[in-house]
Amino acid sequence: MYPEKLVFNENDNMFISYLGIIDKNNFISDDNLSRCDLVQYFSSNDIDPAIMNHLYGIVFNYSDDFHGRIPTIGEFIKKNNRECKGIGLDLNHIFSGVNKSLICPLMVVKGVSVKRSTIEIDESLNKNLGYNDVVGYHPDEVLRFNPKNITKLLNYPKSDAKALFRNINYLCQELYLPLIQRLDERIHTIGICHFVEPAMHCWHLKGLMTMENISEELRDAALDSLEKIFKDVPLPINNLKLWRLITKEWYEREKGGEWNKLSSQAQRRHLVNMIRHGSIGYSQCYTNLPSNLANLLHEAAFNRIMRQIANTFPFLRNECQRQWNYREKNNLSWSSIEV
């Protein structure tokens, strides 16, 4: 029988049950956790490489610290330097030679979650697991981090732009500047498993858990819990142009065909399927569960995410309805779009 709740480190934010991320207040010993369990969990819920190719790790995340306002460098240092020093990062050095009254730049790094980041692999569970805050960007939405673009985007004097570039560029060669210097709702968290190479990733969502034996009277409770967990969870990417690029990369990798030769209807079908399967918690809420509960939760998750897709991307609304009609015709399930 699988353990109901698992945790690796009380002080860590990565809490994984056998079938999902759970709240840190609901933890027990990790004694029953096995490497096999983790590999199976991440393998079942691994984010597609085409999505991972366009996720960027956040270098300095100040979205919650200044109530949506972009802070100055001086404000950012004052609030965060002590904490950063605890992980070996001196903000005074990072911004040395840069006017502290200038705005603090939002910087992102491409592929940080694909690498081992700061986690060193050893035999300990804690050292083989991690998490990263990420944002999805289309290539058109970011600029390479260099003095010219720092000046262009942030209006830095050339001397300050050169100083910032000199101080930071040695840390990572894949830094970028988002054209929109705000994160808003685009930030999400992924879990990372380094037990295998390449590392595997899944969306991090608190509240998901599994129970081995589900009785009939718990079915409504399970559905209610699912609704609460996903109530305010948006699609991981709200840019249709980026989803097109992701789906194109997936199709040409997996099918070996040319995306541009597909009909418009076929492209829309693949787009909807990619968004649904790539959405936060879609597979995690039913994968590996007993069949009776898995079918129930899969239908609920399917309907919820299809409504999200139809509401977020009107261009795909007809395709969402077509898939619902197909499921009804084949007695798979039924629903209608509720806007």
Side-chain angles (χ1 to χ4, degrees):
M1 181 173 179
Y2 302 128
E4 180 179 345
K5 302 173 184 178
L6 298 169
V7 71
F8 314 121
N9 186 328
E10 183 177 353
N11 296 318
D12 197 291
N13 287 331
M14 188 65 173
F15 296 88
I16 299 184
S17 74
Y18 186 74
L19 293 176
I21 309 301
I22 65 173
D23 189 277
K24 70 177 182 179
N25 294 320
N26 298 320
F27 68 88
I28 62 174
S29 168
D30 63 358
D31 293 342
N32 294 321
L33 183 64
S34 74
R35 177 177 181 143
C36 182
D37 288 337
L38 283 170
V39 171
Q40 181 179 346
Y41 172 80
F42 274 87
S43 178
S44 298
N45 300 292
D46 198 20
I47 300 173
D48 191 274
I51 296 176
M52 293 301 303
N53 287 343
H54 300 282
L55 295 182
Y56 293 73
I58 302 166
V59 178
F60 297 137
N61 180 12
Y62 47 74
S63 58
D64 297 327
D65 294 339
F66 297 91
H67 308 288
R69 179 177 61 84
I70 300 177
T72 65
I73 292 173
E75 290 173 326
F76 182 77
I77 292 175
K78 183 178 180 180
K79 188 170 184 64
N80 295 282
N81 200 40
R82 183 175 180 179
E83 180 180 350
C84 287
K85 279 186 176 180
I87 59 173
L89 190 65
D90 187 349
L91 293 181
N92 285 311
H93 173 72
I94 291 294
F95 293 105
S96 175
V98 184
N99 187 331
K100 304 304 185 291
S101 65
L102 295 170
I103 64 169
C104 187
L106 172 61
M107 295 174 286
V108 294
V109 57
K110 188 173 184 179
V112 64
S113 58
V114 179
K115 304 180 177 65
R116 296 182 182 179
S117 187
T118 58
I119 303 174
E120 296 179 0
I121 294 182
D122 62 18
E123 295 303 313
S124 156
L125 287 174
N126 294 341
K127 293 293 183 67
N128 281 285
L129 296 166
Y131 66 99
N132 269 321
D133 289 337
V134 296
V135 181
Y137 287 114
H138 188 277
D140 292 346
E141 295 183 290
V142 293
L143 295 174
R144 288 302 299 260
F145 180 78
N146 58 44
K148 179 180 178 181
N149 287 332
I150 295 170
T151 298
K152 176 182 177 181
L153 184 64
L154 303 174
N155 295 317
Y156 274 34
K158 290 183 179 180
S159 59
D160 294 279
K162 289 179 179 179
L164 182 62
F165 178 77
R166 181 181 64 248
N167 295 343
I168 293 181
N169 192 56
Y170 78 94
L171 294 173
C172 179
Q173 302 299 311
E174 289 291 320
L175 282 173
Y176 290 80
L177 294 165
L179 293 179
I180 298 176
Q181 286 279 296
R182 293 182 184 279
L183 292 172
D184 300 322
E185 77 283 357
R186 301 179 64 162
I187 181 171
H188 302 290
T189 305
I190 58 172
I192 313 166
C193 177
H194 293 284
F195 276 123
V196 295
E197 290 292 343
M200 295 186 294
H201 312 82
C202 69
W203 295 113
H204 170 51
L205 183 63
K206 291 182 180 181
L208 290 177
M209 66 179 67
T210 182
M211 292 169 282
E212 177 70 4
N213 300 307
I214 303 297
S215 59
E216 287 300 315
E217 58 266 24
L218 288 178
R219 290 163 63 89
D220 289 342
L223 284 172
D224 184 59
S225 295
L226 191 69
E227 285 300 313
K228 290 179 180 178
I229 291 168
F230 287 105
K231 181 180 179 182
D232 298 315
V233 178
L235 295 175
I237 296 168
N238 59 12
N239 183 333
L240 185 58
K241 185 178 179 181
L242 178 52
W243 277 119
R244 283 182 181 277
L245 179 59
I246 289 170
T247 309
K248 176 179 183 292
E249 291 177 1
W250 167 84
Y251 179 82
E252 294 183 348
R253 183 192 77 225
E254 293 295 321
K255 306 298 183 180
E258 292 185 39
W259 173 259
N260 293 333
K261 289 185 177 181
L262 289 174
S263 66
S264 296
Q265 180 179 344
Q267 288 186 359
R268 288 193 294 270
R269 176 171 60 85
H270 287 303
L271 261 171
V272 168
N273 291 342
M274 173 58 73
I275 298 172
R276 185 175 75 255
H277 285 282
S279 291
I280 299 169
Y282 176 67
S283 64
Q284 289 150 293
C285 71
Y286 67 87
T287 302
N288 296 332
L289 281 175
S291 60
N292 65 321
L293 186 64
N295 291 336
L296 184 73
L297 296 185
H298 173 263
E299 182 174 346
F302 179 93
N303 290 334
R304 180 190 62 81
I305 292 176
M306 291 291 272
R307 288 190 181 96
Q308 276 189 303
I309 296 171
N311 291 335
T312 306
F313 304 119
F315 173 76
L316 298 174
R317 181 187 178 94
N318 288 341
E319 174 59 24
C320 291
Q321 187 65 65
R322 187 197 67 80
Q323 292 196 22
W324 265 313
N325 293 342
Y326 175 84
R327 289 168 68 83
E328 178 188 6
K329 181 180 178 180
N330 290 275
N331 296 319
L332 298 175
S333 70
W334 179 88
S335 183
S336 61
I337 297 177
E338 298 177 3
V339 181

Short mmCIF file of all heavy atoms in Angstrom, two decimals, residues 3-53:
data_model
loop_
_atom_site.label_atom_id
_atom_site.label_comp_id
_atom_site.label_asym_id
_atom_site.label_seq_id
_atom_site.Cartn_x
_atom_site.Cartn_y
_atom_site.Cartn_z
N PRO A 3 2.16 4.96 0.73
CA PRO A 3 1.95 5.92 1.81
C PRO A 3 1.09 7.08 1.32
O PRO A 3 1.20 7.50 0.18
CB PRO A 3 3.37 6.39 2.15
CG PRO A 3 4.16 6.12 0.91
CD PRO A 3 3.55 4.89 0.29
N GLU A 4 0.20 7.57 2.21
CA GLU A 4 -0.72 8.63 1.80
C GLU A 4 0.00 9.96 1.63
O GLU A 4 -0.29 10.73 0.73
CB GLU A 4 -1.85 8.78 2.81
CG GLU A 4 -2.84 9.88 2.44
CD GLU A 4 -3.96 9.99 3.46
OE1 GLU A 4 -4.10 9.06 4.25
OE2 GLU A 4 -4.67 11.01 3.44
N LYS A 5 0.95 10.26 2.52
CA LYS A 5 1.62 11.55 2.45
C LYS A 5 3.12 11.36 2.65
O LYS A 5 3.55 10.55 3.46
CB LYS A 5 1.08 12.51 3.52
CG LYS A 5 -0.42 12.75 3.42
CD LYS A 5 -0.91 13.55 4.60
CE LYS A 5 -2.42 13.71 4.57
NZ LYS A 5 -2.91 14.45 5.73
N LEU A 6 3.90 12.13 1.94
CA LEU A 6 5.35 12.01 2.02
C LEU A 6 5.97 13.40 2.01
O LEU A 6 5.46 14.31 1.39
CB LEU A 6 5.89 11.23 0.83
CG LEU A 6 5.40 9.77 0.70
CD1 LEU A 6 5.80 9.22 -0.65
CD2 LEU A 6 5.98 8.93 1.81
N VAL A 7 7.08 13.54 2.66
CA VAL A 7 7.80 14.80 2.63
C VAL A 7 9.29 14.50 2.75
O VAL A 7 9.69 13.49 3.30
CB VAL A 7 7.37 15.74 3.76
CG1 VAL A 7 7.82 15.27 5.10
CG2 VAL A 7 7.88 17.15 3.49
N PHE A 8 10.09 15.40 2.21
CA PHE A 8 11.52 15.15 2.22
C PHE A 8 12.23 15.98 3.28
O PHE A 8 13.15 15.52 3.93
CB PHE A 8 12.10 15.50 0.84
CG PHE A 8 11.27 14.92 -0.25
CD1 PHE A 8 10.69 15.73 -1.22
CD2 PHE A 8 11.03 13.57 -0.29
CE1 PHE A 8 9.90 15.19 -2.20
CE2 PHE A 8 10.25 13.03 -1.28
CZ PHE A 8 9.69 13.84 -2.24
N ASN A 9 11.83 17.18 3.44
CA ASN A 9 12.54 18.06 4.36
C ASN A 9 11.54 19.10 4.85
O ASN A 9 10.95 19.82 4.07
CB ASN A 9 13.70 18.77 3.63
CG ASN A 9 14.55 19.59 4.56
OD1 ASN A 9 14.06 20.13 5.55
ND2 ASN A 9 15.83 19.67 4.26
N GLU A 10 11.38 19.20 6.15
CA GLU A 10 10.38 20.12 6.71
C GLU A 10 10.64 21.56 6.32
O GLU A 10 9.73 22.37 6.22
CB GLU A 10 10.37 19.98 8.23
CG GLU A 10 9.31 20.84 8.91
CD GLU A 10 9.26 20.63 10.41
OE1 GLU A 10 9.95 19.72 10.90
OE2 GLU A 10 8.55 21.38 11.08
N ASN A 11 11.89 21.90 6.05
CA ASN A 11 12.23 23.28 5.73
C ASN A 11 12.25 23.54 4.23
O ASN A 11 12.54 24.63 3.79
CB ASN A 11 13.61 23.62 6.31
CG ASN A 11 13.60 23.57 7.82
OD1 ASN A 11 12.66 24.03 8.44
ND2 ASN A 11 14.62 22.96 8.40
N ASP A 12 11.96 22.50 3.45
CA ASP A 12 11.99 22.64 2.00
C ASP A 12 10.57 22.88 1.50
O ASP A 12 9.61 22.49 2.15
CB ASP A 12 12.56 21.36 1.37
CG ASP A 12 12.99 21.57 -0.07
OD1 ASP A 12 12.12 21.77 -0.91
OD2 ASP A 12 14.20 21.53 -0.31
N ASN A 13 10.45 23.50 0.35
CA ASN A 13 9.12 23.78 -0.20
C ASN A 13 8.63 22.67 -1.12
O ASN A 13 7.56 22.76 -1.68
CB ASN A 13 9.13 25.09 -0.98
CG ASN A 13 9.22 26.28 -0.07
OD1 ASN A 13 8.76 26.22 1.06
ND2 ASN A 13 9.82 27.35 -0.54
N MET A 14 9.44 21.63 -1.30
CA MET A 14 9.07 20.57 -2.22
C MET A 14 8.46 19.43 -1.44
O MET A 14 9.15 18.67 -0.79
CB MET A 14 10.31 20.09 -2.98
CG MET A 14 10.00 19.12 -4.08
SD MET A 14 9.03 19.88 -5.38
CE MET A 14 9.05 18.55 -6.57
N PHE A 15 7.16 19.31 -1.48
CA PHE A 15 6.46 18.27 -0.75
C PHE A 15 5.68 17.43 -1.75
O PHE A 15 4.78 17.92 -2.41
CB PHE A 15 5.51 18.87 0.28
CG PHE A 15 6.24 19.63 1.35
CD1 PHE A 15 6.53 20.97 1.17
CD2 PHE A 15 6.67 19.00 2.49
CE1 PHE A 15 7.21 21.68 2.13
CE2 PHE A 15 7.35 19.71 3.46
CZ PHE A 15 7.62 21.04 3.28
N ILE A 16 6.04 16.17 -1.87
CA ILE A 16 5.42 15.33 -2.89
C ILE A 16 4.74 14.13 -2.24
O ILE A 16 5.35 13.41 -1.47
CB ILE A 16 6.47 14.81 -3.89
CG1 ILE A 16 7.12 15.98 -4.61
CG2 ILE A 16 5.85 13.86 -4.89
CD1 ILE A 16 8.10 15.57 -5.67
N SER A 17 3.48 13.94 -2.54
CA SER A 17 2.82 12.70 -2.19
C SER A 17 3.06 11.74 -3.35
O SER A 17 3.65 12.12 -4.35
CB SER A 17 1.32 12.92 -2.00
OG SER A 17 0.71 13.10 -3.25
N TYR A 18 2.58 10.55 -3.23
CA TYR A 18 2.83 9.59 -4.31
C TYR A 18 2.25 10.08 -5.62
O TYR A 18 2.79 9.82 -6.67
CB TYR A 18 2.25 8.23 -3.95
CG TYR A 18 2.60 7.18 -4.97
CD1 TYR A 18 3.89 6.68 -5.02
CD2 TYR A 18 1.68 6.76 -5.91
CE1 TYR A 18 4.25 5.75 -5.97
CE2 TYR A 18 2.02 5.83 -6.85
CZ TYR A 18 3.31 5.32 -6.88
OH TYR A 18 3.66 4.40 -7.83
N LEU A 19 1.16 10.82 -5.56
CA LEU A 19 0.53 11.29 -6.80
C LEU A 19 0.39 12.80 -6.86
O LEU A 19 -0.40 13.31 -7.61
CB LEU A 19 -0.85 10.65 -6.97
CG LEU A 19 -0.82 9.16 -7.21
CD1 LEU A 19 -2.23 8.62 -7.27
CD2 LEU A 19 -0.10 8.84 -8.51
N GLY A 20 1.13 13.52 -6.05
CA GLY A 20 1.00 14.97 -6.17
C GLY A 20 1.72 15.72 -5.09
O GLY A 20 2.26 15.16 -4.15
N ILE A 21 1.72 17.02 -5.22
CA ILE A 21 2.33 17.89 -4.24
C ILE A 21 1.33 18.14 -3.12
O ILE A 21 0.17 18.39 -3.38
CB ILE A 21 2.71 19.23 -4.88
CG1 ILE A 21 3.51 18.98 -6.16
CG2 ILE A 21 3.50 20.09 -3.94
CD1 ILE A 21 4.77 18.20 -5.95
N ILE A 22 1.76 18.09 -1.88
CA ILE A 22 0.85 18.31 -0.77
C ILE A 22 1.31 19.49 0.05
O ILE A 22 2.44 19.95 -0.06
CB ILE A 22 0.74 17.06 0.12
CG1 ILE A 22 2.09 16.77 0.81
CG2 ILE A 22 0.29 15.85 -0.66
CD1 ILE A 22 2.01 15.65 1.83
N ASP A 23 0.43 20.00 0.87
CA ASP A 23 0.74 21.13 1.72
C ASP A 23 1.76 20.74 2.77
O ASP A 23 1.72 19.63 3.32
CB ASP A 23 -0.53 21.63 2.40
CG ASP A 23 -0.31 22.94 3.13
OD1 ASP A 23 0.18 22.87 4.27
OD2 ASP A 23 -0.61 23.99 2.57
N LYS A 24 2.68 21.65 3.10
CA LYS A 24 3.75 21.29 4.02
C LYS A 24 3.26 21.05 5.44
O LYS A 24 3.99 20.48 6.25
CB LYS A 24 4.84 22.37 4.02
CG LYS A 24 4.43 23.69 4.67
CD LYS A 24 5.61 24.64 4.66
CE LYS A 24 5.30 25.95 5.35
NZ LYS A 24 6.46 26.84 5.36
N ASN A 25 2.04 21.45 5.75
CA ASN A 25 1.50 21.19 7.07
C ASN A 25 1.06 19.73 7.22
O ASN A 25 0.77 19.26 8.31
CB ASN A 25 0.30 22.11 7.35
CG ASN A 25 0.72 23.56 7.44
OD1 ASN A 25 1.77 23.86 8.01
ND2 ASN A 25 -0.08 24.44 6.87
N ASN A 26 0.98 19.01 6.09
CA ASN A 26 0.54 17.63 6.11
C ASN A 26 1.72 16.72 5.78
O ASN A 26 1.76 16.11 4.74
CB ASN A 26 -0.58 17.40 5.10
CG ASN A 26 -1.79 18.22 5.41
OD1 ASN A 26 -2.16 18.36 6.57
ND2 ASN A 26 -2.43 18.77 4.39
N PHE A 27 2.71 16.67 6.63
CA PHE A 27 3.87 15.86 6.30
C PHE A 27 4.12 14.79 7.36
O PHE A 27 3.75 14.92 8.50
CB PHE A 27 5.12 16.72 6.14
CG PHE A 27 5.59 17.36 7.43
CD1 PHE A 27 6.46 16.70 8.29
CD2 PHE A 27 5.14 18.63 7.77
CE1 PHE A 27 6.88 17.31 9.47
CE2 PHE A 27 5.57 19.22 8.94
CZ PHE A 27 6.44 18.57 9.81
N ILE A 28 4.73 13.71 6.88
CA ILE A 28 5.19 12.65 7.77
C ILE A 28 6.60 12.30 7.37
O ILE A 28 7.18 12.92 6.50
CB ILE A 28 4.28 11.41 7.71
CG1 ILE A 28 4.27 10.82 6.29
CG2 ILE A 28 2.87 11.74 8.15
CD1 ILE A 28 3.52 9.50 6.20
N SER A 29 7.14 11.29 7.97
CA SER A 29 8.51 10.89 7.69
C SER A 29 8.66 10.43 6.25
O SER A 29 7.73 9.92 5.64
CB SER A 29 8.92 9.76 8.64
OG SER A 29 10.13 9.18 8.22
N ASP A 30 9.86 10.60 5.69
CA ASP A 30 10.11 10.13 4.33
C ASP A 30 10.70 8.73 4.33
O ASP A 30 11.23 8.28 3.32
CB ASP A 30 11.03 11.10 3.59
CG ASP A 30 12.41 11.19 4.24
OD1 ASP A 30 12.62 10.54 5.26
OD2 ASP A 30 13.26 11.91 3.70
N ASP A 31 10.59 8.03 5.44
CA ASP A 31 11.22 6.72 5.53
C ASP A 31 10.69 5.74 4.49
O ASP A 31 11.41 4.86 4.03
CB ASP A 31 10.99 6.12 6.94
CG ASP A 31 11.73 6.92 8.01
OD1 ASP A 31 12.65 7.67 7.63
OD2 ASP A 31 11.37 6.79 9.19
N ASN A 32 9.38 5.87 4.15
CA ASN A 32 8.78 4.93 3.21
C ASN A 32 8.96 5.33 1.76
O ASN A 32 8.53 4.62 0.87
CB ASN A 32 7.28 4.80 3.50
CG ASN A 32 7.01 4.18 4.85
OD1 ASN A 32 7.72 3.26 5.25
ND2 ASN A 32 6.00 4.67 5.55
N LEU A 33 9.56 6.50 1.52
CA LEU A 33 9.74 6.99 0.16
C LEU A 33 10.88 6.26 -0.51
O LEU A 33 11.95 6.10 0.06
CB LEU A 33 10.02 8.48 0.20
CG LEU A 33 10.15 9.17 -1.15
CD1 LEU A 33 8.83 9.12 -1.89
CD2 LEU A 33 10.59 10.61 -0.96
N SER A 34 10.67 5.83 -1.73
CA SER A 34 11.72 5.12 -2.44
C SER A 34 12.08 5.87 -3.71
O SER A 34 11.28 6.64 -4.26
CB SER A 34 11.27 3.71 -2.79
OG SER A 34 10.33 3.72 -3.85
N ARG A 35 13.27 5.62 -4.18
CA ARG A 35 13.72 6.19 -5.45
C ARG A 35 12.78 5.76 -6.58
O ARG A 35 12.46 6.54 -7.47
CB ARG A 35 15.14 5.71 -5.70
CG ARG A 35 15.75 6.16 -7.02
CD ARG A 35 17.18 5.67 -7.09
NE ARG A 35 17.80 6.09 -8.33
CZ ARG A 35 19.06 6.47 -8.43
NH1 ARG A 35 19.81 6.51 -7.35
NH2 ARG A 35 19.57 6.82 -9.58
N CYS A 36 12.34 4.51 -6.53
CA CYS A 36 11.43 3.99 -7.55
C CYS A 36 10.12 4.77 -7.58
O CYS A 36 9.60 5.09 -8.65
CB CYS A 36 11.17 2.51 -7.29
SG CYS A 36 10.10 1.73 -8.52
N ASP A 37 9.58 5.09 -6.38
CA ASP A 37 8.35 5.86 -6.31
C ASP A 37 8.49 7.20 -7.02
O ASP A 37 7.62 7.62 -7.78
CB ASP A 37 7.96 6.13 -4.84
CG ASP A 37 7.46 4.87 -4.14
OD1 ASP A 37 7.00 3.96 -4.84
OD2 ASP A 37 7.54 4.83 -2.91
N LEU A 38 9.60 7.88 -6.74
CA LEU A 38 9.81 9.21 -7.31
C LEU A 38 9.98 9.15 -8.82
O LEU A 38 9.40 9.96 -9.55
CB LEU A 38 11.04 9.85 -6.68
CG LEU A 38 10.83 10.42 -5.28
CD1 LEU A 38 12.16 10.81 -4.68
CD2 LEU A 38 9.91 11.61 -5.33
N VAL A 39 10.76 8.21 -9.29
CA VAL A 39 10.98 8.09 -10.73
C VAL A 39 9.66 7.78 -11.43
O VAL A 39 9.36 8.35 -12.48
CB VAL A 39 12.03 7.01 -11.04
CG1 VAL A 39 12.09 6.73 -12.54
CG2 VAL A 39 13.40 7.44 -10.54
N GLN A 40 8.84 6.91 -10.83
CA GLN A 40 7.54 6.59 -11.43
C GLN A 40 6.64 7.82 -11.45
O GLN A 40 5.95 8.09 -12.43
CB GLN A 40 6.87 5.46 -10.67
CG GLN A 40 5.51 5.07 -11.28
CD GLN A 40 4.85 3.92 -10.54
OE1 GLN A 40 5.48 3.25 -9.74
NE2 GLN A 40 3.57 3.71 -10.81
N TYR A 41 6.64 8.56 -10.33
CA TYR A 41 5.79 9.75 -10.26
C TYR A 41 6.19 10.77 -11.31
O TYR A 41 5.35 11.28 -12.07
CB TYR A 41 5.88 10.38 -8.86
CG TYR A 41 5.19 11.72 -8.79
CD1 TYR A 41 3.81 11.80 -8.64
CD2 TYR A 41 5.91 12.90 -8.91
CE1 TYR A 41 3.17 13.02 -8.61
CE2 TYR A 41 5.27 14.13 -8.88
CZ TYR A 41 3.90 14.18 -8.73
OH TYR A 41 3.27 15.38 -8.71
N PHE A 42 7.48 11.11 -11.38
CA PHE A 42 7.92 12.12 -12.33
C PHE A 42 7.79 11.63 -13.77
O PHE A 42 7.48 12.40 -14.68
CB PHE A 42 9.36 12.54 -12.03
CG PHE A 42 9.48 13.61 -11.01
CD1 PHE A 42 9.52 13.31 -9.66
CD2 PHE A 42 9.52 14.94 -11.38
CE1 PHE A 42 9.61 14.30 -8.70
CE2 PHE A 42 9.62 15.95 -10.43
CZ PHE A 42 9.66 15.62 -9.09
N SER A 43 8.03 10.33 -13.99
CA SER A 43 7.90 9.78 -15.33
C SER A 43 6.46 9.88 -15.82
O SER A 43 6.22 10.19 -17.00
CB SER A 43 8.35 8.31 -15.33
OG SER A 43 8.19 7.75 -16.62
N SER A 44 5.49 9.66 -14.93
CA SER A 44 4.08 9.72 -15.30
C SER A 44 3.63 11.15 -15.57
O SER A 44 2.65 11.37 -16.29
CB SER A 44 3.21 9.12 -14.20
OG SER A 44 3.51 7.75 -13.99
N ASN A 45 4.32 12.13 -14.98
CA ASN A 45 3.86 13.52 -15.05
C ASN A 45 4.91 14.46 -15.64
O ASN A 45 4.83 15.67 -15.46
CB ASN A 45 3.47 14.00 -13.65
CG ASN A 45 2.36 13.16 -13.05
OD1 ASN A 45 1.23 13.17 -13.49
ND2 ASN A 45 2.69 12.37 -12.02
N ASP A 46 5.88 13.91 -16.34
CA ASP A 46 6.99 14.70 -16.88
C ASP A 46 6.47 15.74 -17.88
O ASP A 46 5.65 15.44 -18.75
CB ASP A 46 7.98 13.77 -17.58
CG ASP A 46 9.34 14.41 -17.77
OD1 ASP A 46 9.64 15.39 -17.07
OD2 ASP A 46 10.10 13.92 -18.63
N ILE A 47 6.94 16.97 -17.73
CA ILE A 47 6.57 18.05 -18.66
C ILE A 47 7.27 17.81 -19.99
O ILE A 47 8.47 17.50 -20.04
CB ILE A 47 6.96 19.42 -18.09
CG1 ILE A 47 6.26 19.66 -16.76
CG2 ILE A 47 6.61 20.53 -19.08
CD1 ILE A 47 6.71 20.91 -16.04
N ASP A 48 6.55 17.95 -21.08
CA ASP A 48 7.12 17.68 -22.40
C ASP A 48 8.32 18.59 -22.67
O ASP A 48 8.29 19.78 -22.32
CB ASP A 48 6.06 17.90 -23.49
CG ASP A 48 6.51 17.37 -24.84
OD1 ASP A 48 7.19 18.13 -25.57
OD2 ASP A 48 6.21 16.21 -25.14
N PRO A 49 9.37 18.05 -23.29
CA PRO A 49 10.56 18.87 -23.60
C PRO A 49 10.26 20.12 -24.42
O PRO A 49 10.94 21.13 -24.28
CB PRO A 49 11.46 17.90 -24.39
CG PRO A 49 11.05 16.54 -23.92
CD PRO A 49 9.57 16.64 -23.65
N ALA A 50 9.23 20.05 -25.28
CA ALA A 50 8.89 21.23 -26.09
C ALA A 50 8.43 22.38 -25.21
O ALA A 50 8.67 23.55 -25.53
CB ALA A 50 7.81 20.87 -27.10
N ILE A 51 7.77 22.07 -24.08
CA ILE A 51 7.38 23.11 -23.13
C ILE A 51 8.61 23.57 -22.36
O ILE A 51 8.84 24.78 -22.18
CB ILE A 51 6.29 22.59 -22.17
CG1 ILE A 51 5.02 22.25 -22.94
CG2 ILE A 51 5.99 23.64 -21.09
CD1 ILE A 51 3.92 21.64 -22.09
N MET A 52 9.42 22.61 -21.89
CA MET A 52 10.60 22.95 -21.12
C MET A 52 11.55 23.87 -21.90
O MET A 52 12.22 24.73 -21.32
CB MET A 52 11.35 21.69 -20.70
CG MET A 52 10.61 20.80 -19.70
SD MET A 52 10.22 21.64 -18.15
CE MET A 52 11.85 22.16 -17.62
N ASN A 53 11.59 23.71 -23.21
CA ASN A 53 12.47 24.54 -24.04
C ASN A 53 12.17 26.02 -23.95
O ASN A 53 13.02 26.85 -24.29
CB ASN A 53 12.37 24.11 -25.51
CG ASN A 53 13.05 22.78 -25.79
OD1 ASN A 53 13.86 22.32 -24.99
ND2 ASN A 53 12.70 22.16 -26.91
#
